[in-house]
Amino acid sequence: MSFSDPPIRRILAPNPSALTGTGTNTYVIGATELVVIDPGPDLDDHLAALLAAAAGRPVTRIVVTHAHRDHSALVPRLAAATGAEVLAFGTATEGRSPRMADWADHLPPAAEGLDLDFTPDRRLTEGERLSGPDWELSVHHTPGHLGSHICLALGEMLFSGDHVMGWSSSIVAPPDGDMTDYMASLHRMAERDWRSLLPGHGEVVAEPAARLSALIAHRRDREAAILAALAAAPASAGELTARIYRDIPRTLWPAARQNVLAHLIDLAARSLVSATSTTAPEPIFQRN
């Protein structure tokens, strides 16, 4: 798929799954001097497709929205093939919320999808601008899905990574994901009048305000469902997942449980719930 002004090409990686939809979107921007956003998974066919899209033109920068392997694993080979500088907010674990330290003994290990080998050549900062002859990107730090997640604005278009996807809501998996930060980032992005969102997975979002509003409402609905379930009886994140997510296949319950745990940590920070036991395999929560 191609866009224009400046030229933008979306190259779909062949890594479809229950968590990636049709696959990871890699974006190649520019007419003469190119920037690549999210090279994607380490697949030979995808590397060949990206080099074909470059068609011999210089790739000067590779920008990674966040270091999950479906977005960043191809970085070393693409950088070696093009000589491009690799830019990101940080590594996979940088930007992790300090509040997660209070839950360190009760959280699962880092998610399997983290690219713990990823290190950028240079770290980006909030509001920083990157430019080429016919493009300029501005950096928006949007922690939540991952503490080091960024979105990139090209005028009124936003490359939204996994912060806002075109096919599903995002997973927020503690300790590297944080629901408090995720909601704050959603609200901050909703303050802008975007023309379109170009996500890391799924189709272009043509009505950004409606999509952002729907994601905020979805999370508030899940929060309300958790509080209602806890009003009936204390429960663990796993037990709440079984009660609340009856409408999805059980194969997706592990991912759903991560979202529930993220909500519970957020609700505990707001003194709406508390952990009644921390000696069990996982904490038991009650409504305050």
Side-chain angles (χ1 to χ4, degrees):
M1 177 176 290
S2 297
F3 303 85
S4 59
D5 300 325
I8 303 171
R9 291 195 64 189
R10 183 180 67 181
I11 312 297
L12 179 64
N15 63 326
S17 75
L19 297 180
T20 61
T22 55
T24 301
N25 294 326
T26 298
Y27 297 96
V28 181
I29 305 169
T32 57
E33 181 181 301
L34 309 181
V35 57
V36 174
I37 296 176
D38 285 348
D42 186 7
L43 299 172
D44 291 344
D45 289 350
H46 195 50
L47 175 62
L50 296 183
L51 294 176
R57 293 169 294 175
V59 178
T60 59
R61 295 180 181 90
I62 296 169
V63 186
V64 176
T65 62
H66 65 293
H68 276 141
R69 293 189 60 79
D70 61 316
H71 292 255
S72 61
L74 191 59
V75 166
R77 287 211 288 163
L78 183 62
T82 62
E85 181 183 28
V86 178
L87 306 171
F89 188 84
T91 65
T93 57
E94 286 182 73
R96 182 182 288 183
S97 168
R99 72 177 57 86
M100 292 303 160
D102 295 335
W103 296 88
D105 294 337
H106 312 294
L107 292 175
E112 291 183 5
L114 284 182
D115 187 353
L116 296 176
D117 295 324
F118 175 78
T119 301
D121 296 324
R122 184 166 67 82
R123 286 163 171 76
L124 298 170
T125 58
E126 168 68 26
E128 185 171 348
R129 294 182 180 273
L130 308 170
S131 62
D134 59 351
W135 54 266
E136 182 178 81
L137 297 170
S138 60
V139 177
H140 297 266
H141 182 212
T142 50
H145 176 68
L146 206 63
S148 54
H149 193 288
I150 59 173
C151 296
L152 298 151
L154 178 68
E156 296 175 346
M157 294 187 294
L158 185 72
F159 296 92
S160 57
D162 282 2
H163 180 55
V164 179
M165 298 192 293
W167 75 289
S168 174
S169 57
S170 298
I171 294 176
V172 181
D176 302 292
D178 184 286
M179 189 63 70
T180 304
D181 288 346
Y182 178 71
M183 294 299 291
S185 294
L186 281 180
H187 281 287
R188 187 160 60 88
M189 290 299 97
E191 293 173 357
R192 285 280 300 270
D193 186 17
W194 303 107
R195 183 173 47 142
S196 58
L197 306 179
L198 284 67
H201 303 277
E203 297 299 317
V204 174
V205 178
E207 297 183 0
R211 179 61 174 157
L212 286 162
S213 178
L215 287 173
I216 291 169
H218 171 71
R219 288 298 177 197
R220 291 304 181 212
D221 288 344
R222 290 300 190 197
E223 177 184 290
I226 290 168
L227 290 172
L230 289 178
S236 67
E239 291 167 338
L240 288 167
T241 301
R243 293 182 196 175
I244 295 169
Y245 284 86
R246 296 178 180 176
D247 57 338
I248 66 172
R250 287 193 175 218
T251 54
L252 296 178
W253 278 14
R257 180 192 172 278
Q258 292 175 320
N259 280 332
V260 170
L261 182 58
H263 274 295
L264 288 166
I265 293 172
D266 173 59
L267 291 167
R270 293 154 56 196
S271 299
L272 295 173
V273 306
S274 57
T276 62
S277 171
T278 56
T279 59
E282 57 178 335
I284 304 298
F285 291 86
Q286 69 176 10
R287 184 167 178 172
N288 291 343

